[in-house]
Amino acid sequence: MSVHLLDVESRDVSAGQLGLVVDAPAPRPLVELNLTDPAAGELTLGVLGASHVVTATARGHTLTEQVSCDAIAAGGRPLPDVEHRQGYRFTSHIETVSRRALGRRAEMLRTGAAGRSGWLCAEFPGDRDALTVLTAAATGGHWHWRTWHLYPYRDESVIVETESVWQP
């Protein structure tokens, strides 16, 4: 894995505008990573404009998860702490941190993702710490993925973390 340096402005500039929509048509990602597992099927991690889309397919079933500022308009709802559906669980956590702490987290994510499979990391123009990072793995016939959305601001910054599990 390497950091993708995107040459597009971030569309999602505020964690407060994020929403979640599940099983809606997946928008085209700016960059993506495709993973395959014999038991769990196929998973595509995608970076949108500072947000993400994940598409999982296995045994004739498909799940899409989009966290973005467009999710509510696409039929979703404001970003929940927890979402449950049959075979699917989503959790999110929003943390306000100092600008320095955000920089440390960004470096930790870049270092953790460097050279490892199953990781997708994208940096947006204007600030080296404006990152969207996704990672996924298949275990026992199900997919597990995590995401981090880093929003650097001058004083206090915001980190949105999500974690999802899907077993069709």
Side-chain angles (χ1 to χ4, degrees):
M1 194 297 312
S2 62
V3 175
H4 296 270
L5 304 174
L6 301 179
D7 191 22
V8 297
E9 289 298 317
S10 171
R11 284 190 26 78
D12 292 341
V13 295
S14 169
Q17 295 175 351
L18 292 177
L20 170 70
V21 63
V22 178
D23 291 334
R28 184 175 176 175
L30 299 169
V31 294
E32 64 184 27
L33 175 65
N34 297 303
L35 304 169
T36 302
D37 180 81
E42 298 176 3
L43 185 82
T44 301
L45 303 173
V47 174
L48 304 171
S51 52
H52 79 262
V53 62
V54 175
T55 303
T57 305
R59 298 181 291 285
H61 300 282
T62 299
L63 172 101
T64 61
E65 170 189 284
Q66 179 185 342
V67 171
S68 75
C69 66
D70 297 327
I72 297 169
R77 63 185 183 121
L79 192 65
D81 293 334
V82 178
E83 172 89 7
H84 285 279
R85 296 184 181 202
Q86 185 174 353
Y88 171 73
R89 177 177 166 82
F90 170 91
T91 60
S92 71
H93 174 72
I94 298 174
E95 181 181 9
T96 301
V97 298
S98 70
R99 185 65 174 87
R100 175 178 266 175
L102 182 98
R104 286 192 302 268
R105 182 78 61 90
E107 188 56 35
M108 180 189 76
L109 287 167
R110 272 192 207 87
T111 300
R116 293 173 62 187
S117 62
W119 285 77
L120 179 63
C121 182
E123 179 182 315
F124 291 87
D127 194 310
R128 185 174 195 278
D129 296 334
L131 297 178
T132 298
V133 181
L134 299 93
T135 185
T139 308
H142 68 275
W143 286 106
H144 174 244
W145 62 92
R146 295 183 66 192
T147 74
W148 295 264
H149 305 260
L150 280 65
Y151 296 92
Y153 302 120
R154 182 189 237 198
D155 298 319
E156 291 186 331
S157 297
V158 177
I159 300 170
V160 177
E161 293 185 48
T162 74
E163 186 168 7
S164 302
V165 176
W166 182 63
Q167 183 170 12

